[in-house]
Amino acid sequence: MPARVGDHDVLMERGFVGAFVYQIRGDRVLVVHANKGYRDDVVAALLDAVDDLADADDLGSIVRLRPIQVPGFALDRAALLGPGHTHFFKNTPLADRGMQVIPVHRSETVDGEEYEAFWPGVIGKNLAVRHHDWTREPSPRADVRHLDDGAGGLYRRNRHSRRSSKPALVQARTVLQRDLPVLPDDVRLSVMDVRGRDLRLHREWDRLRGTLQIPGKAEVIDVDISRLSAWEVFGPLFGGADFEPAALEAQRPPEHMLMMRVNDRERRRHDGDDHPTSLEECLRWLDALAPLDGNYLVFAGRSEGVVQMRWQGPGEPRLWLETPEPAHRRSRGGYVTRDEAATMVRTLAREDRVAVDDLGDLETVTWDPGTG
């Protein structure tokens, strides 16, 4: 039905999937859709913001951003999708004349970005922005590239890939809070925000080290932070704020952690590599490791000392704990309780010391030829 929103004459439609606002602009139609948190003042701001763009002869295939500012509304950009490049009018008679404007945040997309990258990346599975939910909070974005030549792994197309033609588009919080703390050895990543702030990091034990390059600044900023604090330090930057160097000064105490490898048939985890793991999580795995023959845990300390344990035997398996001594082609260890194993893990994490000699009555296992 006809309505007026702000300074704009529109057609309004309401249904179980939300509110639709249509603005007729000559032979074109501009649509706004919200199914949660609809507000007239947001619609007015969106239409005002793109009013000078919507009648342009050739809007092309790019996303065009304009600022908006609505009190109490978290999103601050209007994103205009031109004719032929909207999901809403796809496969309809209006496909080549229909336009769409949606509210986004400045941390989520880039002005001039191609629609084919924007829609599947920002609206699709990567950021998974619910563009018709107007109550949502911003979902800051990061474009991630590998800087190393290693094959496969995190943010590679497949396990053989060594090069990527384009960055992976992910939620900034995911890479900063989940992925950076557990970066494998020798992996270096470039994590860039929508303004080109380029964070280049690798993990050295419990630290993330590298640089931050800000466009227009000649000098790079050195970064040396706890592996667990990347979101705390750089989250505001990826959210659209200016970088505050003082954020680098906040230091967490040294972390008690180990590199851990798990083989647990009951939980279907079979690690091929070691993974950085907090002491607390290491102990949780020790407590939970199912007593099945062949299930094992391997822990390595900062100085590469190793404590490893394995359930052995049919019937009621016993927990064998040992430390390998490759230089002598042997291991030394014995059967232990979970509590004794936990003490060995704590000592390795807190003191960087292999303490199997504290157990007493150790057995020596000589390695067979060819065992390494």
Side-chain angles (χ1 to χ4, degrees):
M1 66 180 193
R4 188 165 180 84
V5 179
D7 296 328
H8 305 277
D9 292 319
V10 297
L11 299 176
M12 180 83 70
E13 179 184 14
R14 292 183 182 271
F16 70 95
V17 292
F20 301 86
V21 178
Y22 304 93
Q23 185 182 48
I24 310 302
R25 306 184 69 98
D27 64 348
R28 293 179 177 177
V29 179
L30 176 63
V31 67
V32 183
H33 173 211
N35 69 2
K36 189 175 181 182
Y38 173 86
R39 293 171 49 173
D40 278 349
D41 56 349
V42 174
V43 174
L46 292 171
L47 296 178
D48 287 345
V50 301
D51 193 53
D52 65 327
L53 290 175
D55 297 326
D57 291 337
D58 183 15
L59 290 173
S61 60
I62 63 173
V63 177
R64 299 170 187 267
L65 300 183
R66 288 293 185 270
I68 61 172
Q69 187 173 6
V70 182
F73 190 61
L75 309 178
D76 60 7
R77 293 292 185 272
L80 178 66
L81 310 178
H85 301 284
T86 73
H87 186 76
F88 185 86
F89 289 110
K90 188 177 182 180
N91 299 323
T92 74
L94 290 172
D96 62 347
R97 290 179 291 147
M99 303 175 292
Q100 187 172 2
V101 59
I102 64 177
V104 296
H105 191 261
R106 66 186 184 278
S107 66
E108 297 171 341
T109 191
V110 180
D111 188 33
E113 185 168 36
E114 285 290 333
Y115 169 79
E116 294 299 331
F118 167 80
W119 193 265
V122 177
I123 307 301
K125 65 180 182 179
N126 297 61
L127 291 193
V129 164
R130 302 182 306 280
H131 67 92
H132 36 64
D133 179 1
W134 287 6
T135 67
R136 73 177 182 88
E137 293 298 317
S139 180
R141 154 184 173 176
D143 292 352
V144 184
R145 289 183 186 271
H146 265 263
L147 300 175
D148 57 273
D149 295 328
L154 192 67
Y155 300 120
R156 294 288 197 205
R157 181 177 294 273
N158 56 54
R159 63 190 179 93
H160 302 294
S161 175
R162 293 178 182 272
R163 291 285 186 272
S164 300
S165 59
K166 58 183 180 180
L169 191 162
V170 298
Q171 293 181 1
R173 187 166 197 148
T174 296
V175 64
L176 295 176
Q177 192 171 62
R178 186 194 70 185
D179 297 335
L180 287 180
V182 294
L183 273 185
D185 294 339
D186 302 322
V187 170
R188 295 180 297 116
L189 293 182
S190 163
V191 186
M192 187 178 294
D193 77 353
V194 296
R195 299 167 296 174
R197 275 74 170 164
D198 189 5
L199 185 61
R200 299 190 169 205
L201 295 175
H202 63 279
R203 184 185 57 81
E204 294 181 16
W205 197 247
D206 62 344
R207 310 292 294 176
L208 293 173
R209 294 191 169 109
T211 60
L212 172 65
Q213 177 69 65
I214 297 178
K217 303 285 187 179
E219 295 183 0
V220 299
I221 299 171
D222 291 328
V223 175
D224 183 353
I225 60 174
S226 162
R227 73 183 183 106
L228 302 176
S229 64
W231 176 248
E232 176 186 342
V233 174
F234 295 109
L237 175 74
F238 280 82
D242 291 332
F243 180 66
E244 295 292 340
L248 294 173
E249 298 173 6
Q251 296 293 335
R252 294 190 180 200
E255 180 189 1
H256 298 309
M257 61 160 281
L258 296 168
M259 299 295 289
M260 180 179 72
R261 186 184 309 176
V262 177
N263 183 78
D264 189 333
R265 284 181 292 156
E266 186 172 88
R267 289 165 180 78
R268 299 182 180 180
R269 176 169 170 176
H270 309 281
D271 294 347
D273 300 294
D274 296 342
H275 301 276
T277 310
S278 69
L279 172 59
E280 291 75 17
E281 187 176 353
C282 291
L283 293 173
R284 284 196 293 270
W285 269 100
L286 172 57
D287 185 60
L289 187 68
L292 299 174
D293 184 44
N295 279 359
Y296 66 77
L297 296 170
V298 179
F299 300 104
R302 184 189 294 267
S303 299
E304 301 184 355
V306 174
V307 170
Q308 54 195 27
M309 55 205 69
R310 177 189 185 107
W311 287 107
Q312 292 184 345
E316 294 185 7
R318 300 171 66 191
L319 187 60
W320 171 266
L321 181 146
E322 66 180 20
T323 184
E325 297 179 348
H328 301 289
R329 302 191 58 76
R330 69 186 186 189
S331 300
R332 294 186 306 116
Y335 290 107
V336 297
T337 65
R338 286 191 200 252
D339 286 344
E340 289 172 326
T343 297
M344 297 295 103
V345 173
R346 290 190 188 96
T347 301
L348 184 61
R350 293 171 176 170
E351 302 177 24
D352 194 24
R353 179 173 68 90
V354 174
V356 295
D357 287 322
D358 296 350
L359 296 170
D361 298 324
L362 299 181
E363 298 179 33
T364 299
V365 179
T366 303
W367 296 352
D368 294 331
T371 303

